[in-house]
Each structure stands twice: as structure tokens, then as C-alpha cells.
Amino acid sequence: MDLQAFADQHDSDVSEAPMLVALRAEHRHIASVLALLSDHLNAIERSELVDTHVIYEIMDYMVTWPDRFHHPREDLIYGYAADIDQKLAEDRRRLEKDHDHMARNGRDLLQAVEDWRRGELGGAEVVRLGREYVQASYGHMSFEEQEVFPVIDAVLTHADWRELSADDQLKPVGDPVFGRRVQREFRNMARKLRRSLRRGVERQAVAEWVNVESLFEAYEVMNMANQSGRAITKDQLMTGLREASYIVLDEPLKSPFLCAANNARIGLEWWDEIQGVYRDALTDLMRVNRARQDRMRLLRRAGRPG
């Protein structure tokens, strides 16, 4: 199953509870990462040049975010619903066991990728483990969306969802790849993911397009940085306005001075975040250029025009 097939088979019901809609959206994100992993596994099998660090980032993301935040949130919802519906109690045991297996297999695959990058494991073993992991993940999400989510939506009332929403453990957690700012350790994967989603999961590198590909990557670096910069600026402006309104209400006489001091503090925080975003972008641009030079050297060694 590929990303498009998964999306086509599991369209959500717009009337579903917001938490289930959010879980389905997270499934789409996870499926896009799995599709990128599959592309790289196929490239390894064909003995093509692959960015091993991106493969590492993919599995690091899978064990860092879905296994630590997405699956535990699902387990809490399943546990609540299982107390109401006996059928869900049976599904709950299967799903929690699946989550445990997926977490363990994800860590094992991450370790295999690290061993492979050090030359201690063959690529064929990474491909085998990776494909098993991808297949199991797609099957698990399909079962949840087709069999479990509709039952939960039918069983739980608005009052149940309100009670669940009050649980701090069910509060949304910022996704390090699909959130408002991509975390530093996943930037390379996020860039490849955007390119993959825009141009399709099946793309082959051609020698004469090396420089063009690098140009596209550089554009994605700056595009991601600019998007983060706009999001940070908007958030800081909203924070400044909100805090200024509180100050005016609480300390009307002192508000001009307090607002000025608060705005200065927010401005410094904004500047620090913006500097971090564009420092990261500069680092990524340098990495893109090094990758371009490496590809050109490999092409020349293979006797291809470069």
C-alpha cells in the first residue's frame, strides 16, 4: 500500500469527534513518512545512492513522536471507550499490543539503520526489516480507521469527549516535523518529505539534473525558514497584543511603561527565534551544497558526464 492508496481508502467523516479527526490527520502524516521510507528502501535495494542520514531521521522521528505521543493518546481513548463497549475491550487489547510491538520494532529498525551506516550490517537486512515495519504500520492504521474509530465515534457521547478533552495527557503535542516549526534534528527528512509529496513518491535522480535538484533543495530550505519566520512573527504579535490587554486592565496607570517593557522582552525573544531559524537554514544550505558536490564526484568516478 502506498500513501495515496492509504489516503483514498480512509477518508474521514467530517462529523466525527475532533479528537478522532486529529488522530486521522496524524495518520496521514505518519503514512507520508512511511512512504518516504519505502522510497529509500527501494533505492537501497537497487544499490542507488541514498542519504543515509535521512533514513536515520525517519526512524528517529517514528520512535520519538508516534511511539511516544500518538500511540499513548490513542491508548487512553481506547481505554475509556473499552469501559463502555465490550467489543472495544477486545480491540483495545489487540491495539495496545500492536503499539508495543511497533515501538519495539521501530527501535530495532533504528538500531539496524545505525549498524548499517557504520558498515556493520548489510543493506538487505535493513530493507527486510524496514518493509516489515512499513507493512505492519499501514495495517495497524487501517484497522484503527476502518474498524475502531467508527465504533468509538458511535459509542462516546459529547459528554464523554468533554471529559476526555480535560485529560492533560490527551492535549495536542507539537509534532516535530509537521508542527509550526520543524525541529533541527528532522529538517533534512522534512525537506525530502516535502519534495516527495510535491513530485510523487517515485522519482529517480538523473545526472544532468543534479544541479537543478540542489537548487530545488535550496529553495525548500529557504521556503521552510520563511514559513517558520512568518509563523513565529504572528505568534509573537498575538502574544504581545494579548499580554498588553491584560496589562491595561490590571495596571492602567502604569500600562504605557509596562507594555513597552513587555514588548521589548517579546521582541528579544522573537529576534532570538528568528536568528535560530535562519542559522539553521544557513547550515542546511551548506549541507545541500556538500551533497551536490558529493553526487558530482560519484558521477565522475562512475565515468558519467559531470
Side-chain angles (χ1 to χ4, degrees), residues 55-68:
I55 301 173
Y56 171 83
E57 286 186 15
I58 289 171
M59 289 313 304
D60 191 29
Y61 168 82
M62 291 300 295
V63 302
T64 298
W65 196 82
D67 287 343
R68 289 181 58 193

Side-chain angles (χ1 to χ4, degrees), residues 37-48 131 202:
L37 175 60
S38 293
D39 286 348
H40 282 72
L41 295 174
N42 292 338
I44 293 171
E45 190 171 52
R46 294 191 298 263
S47 299
E48 294 178 358
R131 284 180 174 160
E202 294 294 339

Side-chain angles (χ1 to χ4, degrees), residues 41-110:
L41 295 174
N42 292 338
I44 293 171
E45 190 171 52
R46 294 191 298 263
S47 299
E48 294 178 358
L49 180 66
V50 295
D51 189 334
T52 63
H53 189 71
V54 169
I55 301 173
Y56 171 83
E57 286 186 15
I58 289 171
M59 289 313 304
D60 191 29
Y61 168 82
M62 291 300 295
V63 302
T64 298
W65 196 82
D67 287 343
R68 289 181 58 193
F69 299 107
H70 173 78
H71 294 155
R73 287 169 64 225
E74 288 180 327
D75 287 342
L76 286 170
I77 295 172
Y78 298 159
Y80 188 99
D83 291 337
I84 301 173
D85 187 271
Q86 181 58 38
K87 171 64 166 59
L88 285 173
E90 298 172 5
D91 290 339
R92 173 196 181 185
R93 287 189 288 272
R94 168 186 167 174
L95 292 167
E96 289 180 344
K97 186 177 295 185
D98 281 353
H99 288 164
D100 290 340
H101 286 322
M102 291 165 67
R104 183 167 57 253
N105 293 342
R107 291 191 297 270
D108 290 345
L109 180 53
L110 176 61

